[in-house]
Each structure stands twice: as C-alpha cells, then as structure tokens.
C-alpha cells in the first residue's frame, strides 16, 4: 500500500491502522547521527510523528511506503541523508509488524546521495599497483568541498584521509572528474594493505556528508608454485601457479631455470602439464602473470628420477698394457638417485669378477685380455658400460 500526503504535512501520517499502541522510529542523519525514539502520539489512523519536515517556506514531496515487518526487533542498517530539508526515516509499529518508510525530497529536485563501485572485491599481486573505481551522485543543491578515501570505517568515528596515513605515504593518488567518477590508485601494495576501502564526500554543509559502504575489499596475494617435487622418468607431472585469491583474467607465464618456456609446453590456465617426463625436464620452475613479469613466484625444484645414464668405463694407466703390470677400471654414470651398486663382468663369464665403482687387476697376464663391462644399478634401473683390455706379451 502506498499513500501520498499533501505538501507540508511531514509530521502526520494516515497509517490506516489502529495506532493506540506504541510506535518506534529511527531517523538517520547521513549515518553520522542517529536518533531512536518511541512515539505515543495520535489517535485512530493518524500518527503524529513529531518530525518537523516542513521547514521555512520549503515545499516537501512526501511519500510513505508501507511494508510488512517480520521481526519485532529493529534491524535496519539503512543510511539516510539529511541535507537542508532532505531526509529519510523509518517508522516501525512494534505491535502490528508494519513498517512505514518516508522519503522527503526538498523542492523539485529528485537527486539523492548514491555511490556505486565498479568492483566490490579486488585480488592483486603483492608489489603491484591497483585502481579502485566508482561513481556517485548527490542532492543538486549541495556543493562538494572535499572527497577522499578511508579504510575500515567505523560508525560514529571520523576515519582519516588515506593520503595522510603514514603507512600509505607516497603510494596514494586520487582522481575525480566533473561527472563524479572517482578512482584510487594504490601503488606497491603489500599484505598489510588488506582492508575495506571506502570513498568519502563532504559538502559545504557540515552535517551533509556521505561515505560509500561497504566499499571495496582488497586482497593481496603472492604467486606460489605447487610441484610434485619428484617424478620418475616416463611419468607425467602437473605444476600449478597458486594464489590465495582469484586474480582477474590472468595469463600465466612459466619459467625453467629462469628462462621462459617455449610454446611447445602444454599450459592450461594456471597449470603446466609435462607429458612423459625425461631427465631434461628436471630443474627449477617459477611462474608470473603477464604484465607483471617483474613479480614472479619463488622457484620450486622438480626432480626427475631415472636409471643410470651415460655409463662409461675408464682405464688407468692409459696406453698400452703389458704383462706384469697393474690396471684399474673405473665406472661412472649420472643416475638419479645415485648408483648404489656397481658390478663387474668379463665377456663370456657368468659370474661377476668384481664389485664397487673401481675394479683393479694386479700382475696382469695375457689371459686377462677381453671385454670388461660394469653394471650400474640404482633404485630405478640398470645400465651397462664396457671397455676392451688388450694385454701385450
């Protein structure tokens, strides 16, 4: 039900209800001063609110809206404005569960305070620069004399201008145009900058000011590579560039040992997929967001387990071998994990002739001529290397 009263009748309301019980009302003055009162006025259907709306010779257009109220407790967080005869208030019947909302608009102007932010929440990289944007309107008869940003405002407390806060010194820039579009530029953000940021407007009338709550929540994250740590050659591996909040449309870039990976690598969203991993894929991986390449993650090492490779055997001393001399064979490889066992064989024999990374033959004879090979074994596999010994008489 909507009722429209005539002009200048701000104190009285024809509720259409029996008002022989108590009423409560709340009048909010721009969220700065708030009045809660109990009323016991009027009789029959008419309620005398006691609100002196008609001031001087001004005309008021007064609309009363009636709503159902399901809870007997006062639960309105509405912020109303009062400016030279412009005000909003709520009147509640504590017994009949009815709410009446009165909107008073001074003169013929219908403009009211409003504030809209383009984003309600922002996720940004530690060390980056962010912009917070919005727009506002105000009653046309008011003149804005100052606008600034505050953090984590508390009702009834005047929060300081952000640009005067020491921890933000040199990092804050304000922007506002004639269309009342506004913006905050915050540079070199850090974890301790996580707050709710609200735009504040004051006018030439002390009591007529506005703050846009709940504002914009800033979340600050760093990049972190989540890696399996180690994989076995031939398996696949997935590395993820993690954040603690959701960045807006990021393009992730991957680096191996400090060098950007080629486009041949399979990248999906914030993940790097390595198919059929080889020992060449082992290294340190980091990630960054395009446009913020100067803010990469900490590198994480990927270890690739593989059987011994490049197994080789050397002879000492080198050169010709004559009977009666001594020689030492040494086996080497680059297995990961390192080789645990070395076993020596002579071609044509079924049993090992020695063990250990080195194998020595003392007082060598012509019978020692032949092909010798070492078997290098680690936890992943086995690989052989060989050498020919030719003993001269």
């Amino acid at each position: 039900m909507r009722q429209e009263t005539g002009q200048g009748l701000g104190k009285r309301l024809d509720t259409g209800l029996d008002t022989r019980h108590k009423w409560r009302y709340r009048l909010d003055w721009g969220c700065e001063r708030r009045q809660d009162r109990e009323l016991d006025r009027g009789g029959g259907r008419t309620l005398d609110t006691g609100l002196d709306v008609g001031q001087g010779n001004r005309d008021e257009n007064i609309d009363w809206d009636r709503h159902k109220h399901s809870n007997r407790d006062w639960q309105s967080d509405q912020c109303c404005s009062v400016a030279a005869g412009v005000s909003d208030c709520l009147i509640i019947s504590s017994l009949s569960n009815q709410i009446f909302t009165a909107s008073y608009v001074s003169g013929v102007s219908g403009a009211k305070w409003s504030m809209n932010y383009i984003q309600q929440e922002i996720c940004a990289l530690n060390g980056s620069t962010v912009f917070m944007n919005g727009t506002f309107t105000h009653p046309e008869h008011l003149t804005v004399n100052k606008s600034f940003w505050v953090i984590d405002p508390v009702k009834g407390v005047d929060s300081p201008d952000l640009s005067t806060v020491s921890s933000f010194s040199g990092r804050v820039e304000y922007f506002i145009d004639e269309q009342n579009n506004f913006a905050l530029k915050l540079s070199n953000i850090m974890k301790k900058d996580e707050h709710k940021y609200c735009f504040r407007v004051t006018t030439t009338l002390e009591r007529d000011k506005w703050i846009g709550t709940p504002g914009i929540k800033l979340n600050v994250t760093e990049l972190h590579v989540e890696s399996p740590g180690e994989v076995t050659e031939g398996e696949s591996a997935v590395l993820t560039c993690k954040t603690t909040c959701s960045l807006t449309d990021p393009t992730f870039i991957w680096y191996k040992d400090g060098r950007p990976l080629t486009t041949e690598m399979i990248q999906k969203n914030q993940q790097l997929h390595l198919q059929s991993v080889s020992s060449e894929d082992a290294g340190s991986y980091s990630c960054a967001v395009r446009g913020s390449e100067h803010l990469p993650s900490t590198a994480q090492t990927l270890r690739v387990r593989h059987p011994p490779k490049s197994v080789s055997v050397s002879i000492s001393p080198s050169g010709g071998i004559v009977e009666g001399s001594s020689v030492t064979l040494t086996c080497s490889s680059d297995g990961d994990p390192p080789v645990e066992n070395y076993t020596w064989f002579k071609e044509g024999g079924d049993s090992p002739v020695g063990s250990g990374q080195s194998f020595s033959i003392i007082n060598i004879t012509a019978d020692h001529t032949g092909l010798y090979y070492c078997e290098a074994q680690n936890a992943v596999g086995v690989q052989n290397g060989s050498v020919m010994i030719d003993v001269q008489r």
Side-chain angles (χ1 to χ4, degrees):
M1 178 184 90
R2 166 168 286 198
Q3 298 187 133
E4 293 187 0
T5 75
Q7 294 182 346
L9 299 178
K11 288 187 179 183
R12 302 182 67 80
L13 166 65
D14 184 358
T15 67
L17 300 173
D18 183 356
T19 60
R20 289 174 297 175
H21 48 71
K22 288 183 181 291
W23 293 77
R24 290 186 293 163
Y25 80 85
R26 168 167 288 180
L27 177 60
D28 289 347
W29 300 80
C31 296
E32 297 299 320
R33 291 187 293 126
R34 181 167 282 175
Q35 301 177 18
D36 291 311
R37 298 178 184 173
E38 273 199 351
L39 299 175
D40 190 8
R41 298 189 176 120
R45 292 155 46 109
T46 301
L47 172 67
D48 186 349
T49 67
L51 301 177
D52 193 2
V53 179
Q55 301 177 17
N57 296 320
R58 295 186 181 89
D59 291 333
E60 261 69 12
N61 303 314
I62 306 174
D63 288 342
W64 291 96
D65 288 330
R66 172 180 169 184
H67 319 274
K68 280 290 184 182
H69 179 52
S70 60
N71 193 319
R72 296 190 180 197
D73 295 327
W74 184 262
Q75 291 185 335
S76 174
D77 289 328
Q78 176 174 347
C79 288
C80 312
S81 67
V82 175
V86 180
S87 60
D88 290 342
C89 72
L90 297 179
I91 297 178
I92 282 188
S93 163
S94 59
L95 297 181
S96 63
N97 289 337
Q98 301 288 328
I99 297 179
F100 291 88
T101 306
S103 297
Y104 313 103
V105 183
S106 178
V108 297
S109 170
K112 286 192 174 184
W113 284 107
S114 69
M115 195 169 293
N116 296 296
Y117 298 101
I118 294 177
Q119 294 170 284
Q120 277 68 53
E121 193 163 349
I122 294 176
C123 174
L125 289 176
N126 187 64
S128 66
T129 296
V130 295
F131 286 86
M132 304 182 197
N133 306 279
T135 184
F136 75 97
T137 63
H138 62 82
E140 294 177 4
H141 65 280
L142 295 178
T143 300
V144 173
N145 63 357
K146 188 177 182 181
S147 60
F148 54 95
W149 289 77
V150 300
I151 55 173
D152 302 328
V154 177
K155 290 181 180 179
V157 178
D158 285 332
S159 301
D161 182 341
L162 190 64
S163 63
T164 66
V165 178
S166 59
S167 60
F168 290 89
S169 178
R171 301 192 292 129
V172 171
E173 287 186 67
Y174 296 158
F175 303 92
I176 189 168
D177 62 20
E178 294 180 355
Q179 288 73 46
N180 291 333
N181 299 305
F182 58 84
L184 165 65
K185 178 183 178 182
L186 182 58
S187 305
N188 191 26
I189 64 171
M190 53 196 78
K191 193 67 176 176
K192 67 180 182 180
D193 293 337
E194 290 189 326
H195 298 282
K196 286 188 175 180
Y197 291 75
C198 298
F199 191 60
R200 187 85 159 108
V201 178
T202 64
T203 70
T204 52
L205 297 178
E206 173 62 26
R207 69 180 186 181
D208 298 315
K209 47 192 174 182
W210 190 264
I211 185 168
T213 57
I216 301 175
K217 182 181 180 183
L218 175 62
N219 299 301
V220 181
T221 184
E222 292 186 340
L223 299 178
H224 170 71
V225 174
E226 189 176 81
S227 165
E230 67 176 46
V231 292
T232 300
E233 192 172 55
E235 296 178 343
S236 61
V238 177
L239 289 80
T240 306
C241 194
K242 303 278 286 187
T243 59
T244 55
C245 56
S246 298
L247 296 169
T248 303
D249 298 326
T251 298
F252 290 94
I253 305 169
W254 285 91
Y255 301 85
K256 177 177 179 287
D257 298 329
R259 295 184 295 274
L261 292 177
T262 66
T263 55
E264 297 175 358
M265 308 301 293
I266 302 176
Q267 301 182 37
K268 296 182 178 179
N269 298 323
Q270 60 195 98
Q271 292 185 327
L272 174 66
H273 290 244
L274 303 177
Q275 308 289 350
S276 189
V277 172
S278 72
S279 58
E280 294 179 355
D281 293 318
S284 296
Y285 288 82
S286 58
C287 63
V289 173
R290 190 175 300 282
S292 298
E293 290 88 347
H294 61 294
L295 301 172
S297 70
T298 301
Q300 294 292 324
T301 299
L302 178 67
R303 177 186 174 192
V304 179
R305 292 159 45 94
H306 59 85
K309 292 185 176 183
S310 304
V311 179
S312 62
V313 180
S314 60
I315 302 177
S316 178
S318 59
I321 302 173
V322 297
E323 285 187 316
S325 63
S326 298
V327 296
T328 298
L329 308 182
T330 302
C331 191
S332 60
S333 75
D334 63 354
D336 189 358
V339 172
E340 299 172 351
N341 298 305
Y342 292 94
T343 307
W344 295 89
F345 296 87
K346 182 181 180 184
E347 187 178 38
D350 295 329
S351 301
V353 295
S355 61
Q357 189 169 6
S358 297
F359 168 57
S360 295
I361 304 174
I362 307 300
N363 194 20
I364 197 167
T365 67
D367 294 337
H368 289 108
T369 297
L371 182 67
Y372 290 78
Y373 62 92
C374 82
E375 181 182 87
Q377 180 180 23
N378 66 6
V380 182
V382 176
Q383 184 67 36
N384 295 336
S386 62
V387 67
M388 184 67 186
I389 292 181
D390 184 13
V391 181
Q392 300 174 1
R393 294 179 181 273

